[in-house]
Amino acid sequence: MKIKIENSSKKTSLLCGFVLENTTKSLGLPKFDTKTTISINQSLKDMEGKLGKINIVPLSEKNPIQRILLAGIGKKENLTNDTIRFVSGKIAQKARELKLKEFSIVSPPSFIHDPISTVSQIIEGTKMALYKFDKFKAEKTEPSPDLTIIISKSTKISKIIKTSEIVADGTIFTKSIANLPPNECTPTTLANFSKTIAKKNKMKCSIISEPELKKKGFGGISAVGQGSKNQPKLIILEHNHGPKNEKPIVLVGKAVTFDTGGISLKPGSAMDEMKFDKCGGCTVLGIMKAVSELKLPLNIVGIIPSVENMPGGESYRPGDIIKLYSGKTAEILNTDAEGRLILADALSYGEKQYSPKAIIDFATLTGACIVALGTNVAAIVSNDEKLTKKICESSKRTTEEIWELPLNQDYMDMIKSDVADMKNVGIGRAAGTITAAAFLKNAIEKTPWAHIDIAGVAWTQGATKEKSYNPKGATGFGVRLILDYLQRL
Ligand code: BES
Ligand code: ZN
Ligand code: ZN
C-alpha cells in the first residue's frame, strides 16, 4: 500500500470524510453541486455521526470523485487518541471490500486533533487494519488499496508520514511473526529473522546457542530449552546510533515459541494459543526493526531469550534446582513458570553486559494478569517511578493501555525457597503477576527496570475489545508504545 498527501482531492474512487455526532456537515469535504449536496445531507441525517458508523454516497459516473464515504466519529467531547485510528481502519477495510485500487481520506481540521497526530493515526489505523494473516490460506486477501491523505502539504507532514509508516510496519512485522504456528517458528527461525533484519538495517546481531549458553551460565534458558529438540537461542540485536559512550536502553522479550507447560503439562483446552507465548520477543524484534529504519539517534539493545517448553525425557523437572545467569539459584516447583527463568537470565545479562540506562521487558508471563486486568490492559511492574511515568505517558498517546501493580518486600518474600535462593512460583494463586515480577526483580541489581506483562493483550482473546486495526490474532501490543517512549527520549 502506497501513501501520499495532496492539498485537495481531484480524482478518486472514494473520498472519505469524518463526521461528528449530531452535526450536519462532514469535516473538510469540498463543496459539491446541488444534487450531490442533497444526497450527502440525507446520508448525514441518517447516520447522525454515530461513532464507527459508515455511509457511502455514490456519485454520478462522470464525476472524478466516484463515491463519498461518511465516517462517524461520535461526540467531540468523547474523542480519544484512538478514535481517528480505529475509524480510519474501518474505512480502509471498506475500501478493500469494495475492491478499490485507491481511496482518499480528508484529514479533519485542527480543532478536532492536532494535524500531526491525526495523520499518524490515519496511517497506523489503515495499515494495521489491512494486515491479514493469510500465509497458510489458498484464498488470499484482496490487495491493499493505496491511500491519499488530503491535508495541506508541509515538511512536517511528510516527515510524520514516513515515521508513521515505519511504526505501523514494525507493528505489522511483530504480528506477522507472532502469528506463525509453532511448527513453522522455532527459536532458530526467530534467530534467522533477527539476522535478516539486522543485515538489512545495519544492526549488530549475535546469537548464543548451546553448548555456549550452558557454558556461559544461562542456567534458566538451558533448563527450559533442554526438553525440546528445537534448541534454545539467545538473540541479541544492537542499534548503535547514539553518542559512543552513552549507555543504551535494553529491551528484553520472552519468546517461548510454544509453551506446553513442560512436565507440569498445561490442560488441553486452548493450548494452541500458547504459540503466542513468543509475543514479547516478537514485540522487541518489531521495535528493533522500526528503530533501525527510523535511525533513532540512540543506543538500543534488544535481547530475546527463545525456547520451546516441552515435556520429555530430557526436560527439566519440578524439584530441580538451577543456577541463573545472576549466580542465584532457583528451585523449580512448576515447569510451566518458565518465562521468568529465561527472562531472568536475559535481564541479568543485559545489565552486566551493557550497564544500561534502563531495561524494559515484555512477556506473556502470567495467566493471573488476565484475571487481574482482563484482555485490554497490560500490567506494568517496576523498580523506578520515573521510568513507569514515562511509559504510562506514552501509553496514553498510543492507547495501548497499561496499569501499574505494586512490588514491595512482602511480595519478594513470597518467592523465598527452603532449599534455594528463590522458587519459581509464589504462594498458591495469590498475586501471580506480581510474584512473577518479584522473581525478575531478583535478576537486576541497580538498573531502572520496568516489566510489562502482556498475557492479556498480546493476541485477541474472548473478551478482547474489537478494534478494526487489531484483526484476529497477534496485536503487536507494545511496539507503538515503546517507539513513542524512545522517540521522546
Ligand atoms: N505463558 C504462560 C502464561 C499465560 C497463560 C499467558 C495464559 C497467556 C495466557 C506462562 O508461562 C505460565 O504458564 N504461567 C503460569 C505460572 C504459574 C505456574 C505460576 C500461569 O500463569 O499459570
Ligand atoms: Zn508456562
Ligand atoms: Zn509461558
Side-chain angles (χ1 to χ4, degrees):
M1 146 183 222
K2 280 197 210 100
I3 298 176
K4 63 177 180 8
I5 35 170
E6 292 291 348
N7 286 322
S8 65
S9 176
K10 287 155 206 124
K11 195 170 179 284
T12 181
S13 321
L14 183 69
L15 182 64
C16 311
F18 296 105
V19 185
L20 280 171
E21 191 165 324
N22 295 328
T23 52
T24 51
K25 254 192 173 164
S26 168
L27 300 161
L29 276 189
K31 277 211 168 84
F32 290 97
D33 57 63
T34 324
K35 199 176 144 221
T36 309
T37 310
I38 292 171
S39 324
I40 293 178
N41 285 347
Q42 185 54 49
S43 188
L44 281 168
K45 229 175 168 181
D46 293 346
M47 67 180 302
E48 297 173 313
K50 287 264 189 294
L51 181 63
K53 237 188 161 178
I54 277 181
N55 259 10
I56 292 184
V57 185
L59 305 191
S60 79
E61 263 177 29
K62 282 169 278 167
N63 206 314
I65 295 168
Q66 289 173 7
R67 303 169 193 81
I68 303 284
L69 182 152
L70 302 165
I73 52 172
K75 294 198 176 94
K76 185 164 185 278
E77 62 269 27
N78 293 341
L79 287 176
T80 70
N81 279 337
D82 206 33
T83 311
I84 297 291
R85 188 180 294 113
F86 71 75
V87 175
S88 299
K90 277 199 140 186
I91 295 174
Q93 285 166 342
K94 191 77 195 172
R96 180 170 65 190
E97 195 187 303
L98 293 169
K99 300 189 169 42
L100 304 180
K101 288 208 169 62
E102 52 73 41
F103 66 111
S104 305
I105 297 181
V106 181
S107 179
S110 49
F111 73 86
I112 293 291
H113 247 304
D114 90 279
I116 296 291
S117 110
T118 304
V119 167
S120 67
Q121 285 189 38
I122 292 176
I123 293 174
E124 288 172 9
T126 52
K127 287 202 82 155
M128 284 163 61
L130 290 175
Y131 162 74
K132 191 138 193 251
F133 180 59
D134 59 7
K135 191 168 184 229
F136 297 92
K137 280 174 88 79
E139 192 185 324
K140 298 294 178 202
T141 320
E142 293 289 331
S144 294
D146 292 335
L147 166 66
T148 306
I149 301 174
I150 314 296
I151 191 169
S152 50
K153 289 185 187 175
S154 69
T155 38
K156 247 187 165 174
I157 295 285
S158 309
K159 208 175 150 212
I160 196 68
I161 289 188
K162 208 171 155 208
T163 308
S164 309
E165 283 201 78
I166 293 174
V167 170
D169 285 337
T171 314
I172 291 168
F173 178 74
T174 293
K175 292 187 193 201
S176 69
I177 46 173
N179 279 330
L180 288 175
N183 59 329
E184 293 278 336
C185 186
T186 64
T188 304
T189 321
L190 286 181
N192 290 339
F193 280 136
S194 307
K195 282 189 220 160
T196 310
I197 348 172
K199 202 167 169 197
K200 211 164 155 197
N201 298 318
K202 302 199 173 76
M203 278 185 287
K204 192 174 155 196
C205 176
S206 16
I207 313 286
I208 308 180
S209 311
E210 290 295 16
E212 274 68 43
L213 283 167
K214 202 173 255 156
K215 241 192 272 163
K216 292 196 158 109
F218 293 97
I221 300 174
S222 282
V224 181
Q226 75 193 35
S228 172
K229 76 172 175 35
N230 295 311
Q231 297 265 307
K233 301 279 167 190
L234 180 64
I235 304 165
I236 302 141
L237 285 164
E238 287 180 39
H239 165 87
N240 294 316
H241 275 241
K244 227 183 171 164
N245 294 319
E246 193 173 276
K247 293 174 171 180
I249 304 282
V250 166
L251 307 171
V252 176
K254 167 181 174 182
V256 176
T257 59
F258 195 67
D259 182 11
T260 63
I263 297 296
S264 317
L265 195 64
K266 282 183 182 295
S269 78
M271 199 203 270
D272 61 291
E273 293 194 8
M274 283 300 113
K275 68 179 178 189
F276 293 119
D277 213 21
K278 59 185 179 302
C279 281
C282 297
T283 291
V284 170
L285 254 181
I287 296 169
M288 293 308 290
K289 177 178 180 282
V291 150
S292 57
E293 288 172 5
L294 290 167
K295 301 192 171 67
L296 287 189
L298 299 166
N299 298 326
I300 305 167
V301 181
I303 305 181
I304 303 164
S306 185
V307 297
E308 185 176 44
N309 188 20
M310 294 292 268
E314 314 250 304
S315 301
Y316 80 132
R317 350 154 168 65
D320 283 358
I321 296 177
I322 62 169
K323 193 176 204 172
L324 301 168
Y325 193 83
S326 60
K328 292 180 185 165
T329 55
E331 179 191 12
I332 307 304
L333 289 178
N334 190 320
T335 61
D336 196 12
E338 83 297 340
R340 62 199 75 184
L341 303 173
I342 67 168
L343 282 172
D345 276 356
L347 291 168
S348 303
Y349 177 78
E351 182 176 46
K352 288 209 174 96
Q353 194 73 12
Y354 297 98
S355 314
K357 263 197 275 200
I359 307 183
I360 305 170
D361 78 72
F362 287 90
T364 47
L365 203 61
T366 60
C369 189
I370 306 174
V371 178
L373 298 176
T375 52
N376 300 300
V377 180
I380 180 166
V381 186
S382 171
N383 64 5
D384 190 272
E385 265 176 46
K386 270 197 218 145
L387 178 61
T388 307
K389 190 164 168 263
K390 281 213 171 118
I391 297 174
C392 287
E393 281 165 10
S394 287
S395 148
K396 294 234 158 60
R397 277 189 292 271
T398 66
T399 67
E400 292 161 284
E401 279 187 67
I402 53 178
W403 194 258
E404 188 180 7
L405 298 179
L407 178 51
N408 60 28
Q409 187 56 43
D410 292 342
Y411 296 107
M412 301 301 291
D413 292 343
M414 286 167 76
I415 56 163
K416 283 197 170 142
S417 161
D418 294 334
V419 291
D421 298 333
M422 54 193 154
K423 54 180 177 167
N424 80 331
V425 295
I427 301 172
R429 288 154 61 132
T433 302
I434 307 176
T435 50
F439 191 95
L440 301 183
K441 193 181 176 206
N442 272 328
I444 286 175
E445 271 171 19
K446 54 174 195 280
T447 310
W449 153 79
H451 156 65
I452 303 179
D453 193 329
I454 55 172
V457 296
W459 73 95
T460 58
Q461 305 176 33
T464 303
K465 193 178 147 99
E466 241 187 78
K467 280 185 177 179
S468 61
Y469 61 79
N470 277 340
K472 261 194 186 158
T475 60
F477 187 103
V479 176
R480 291 184 298 112
L481 172 73
I482 294 306
L483 287 172
D484 184 274
Y485 161 80
L486 292 171
Q487 282 176 282
R488 281 162 200 278
L489 282 180

